[in-house]
Amino acid sequence: TSYFPDVTEIRDGDTVRFVNVSGRAHSVRHRDGLWETLEIDEGQELIMSVTEEMAGGFQDRTGRFSGGLLHTSAESRGN
């Protein structure tokens, strides 16, 4: 189980939707610990507002599932 899409481009004020179909409750966190969601029950979803400062890799809290990447347009431009 993993996250789709693998890479999501974000801008300040965008929202990201996490839908849990993993078979168990879990939270999602930034790989460097900058943010973490509340626990998302199986079959539930969480919609989170994001800022460009939240960019980077993410995964479930245990690291058991493949993660994803929140990517900013500034990173694409090399800023």
Side-chain angles (χ1 to χ4, degrees):
T1 304
S2 61
Y3 298 91
F4 177 82
D6 293 341
V7 177
T8 302
E9 187 165 317
I10 61 169
R11 293 184 181 178
D12 285 339
D14 283 350
T15 57
V16 174
R17 180 174 65 142
F18 294 104
V19 180
N20 184 355
V21 293
S22 69
R24 66 178 179 85
H26 68 86
S27 61
V28 180
R29 70 173 191 86
H30 187 275
R31 286 193 179 130
D32 293 333
L34 299 176
W35 55 265
E36 184 170 349
T37 68
L38 298 173
E39 191 167 86
I40 308 166
D41 290 329
E42 161 63 27
Q44 298 297 306
E45 67 179 50
L46 181 137
I47 298 174
M48 178 175 78
S49 294
V50 294
T51 64
E52 290 187 358
E53 289 78 25
M54 296 170 74
F58 62 87
Q59 62 192 43
D60 75 299
R61 180 179 16 179
T62 66
R64 179 177 169 192
F65 299 114
S66 299
L69 177 68
L70 297 179
H71 190 269
T72 68
S73 56
E75 290 171 322
S76 298
R77 293 188 307 264
N79 294 337

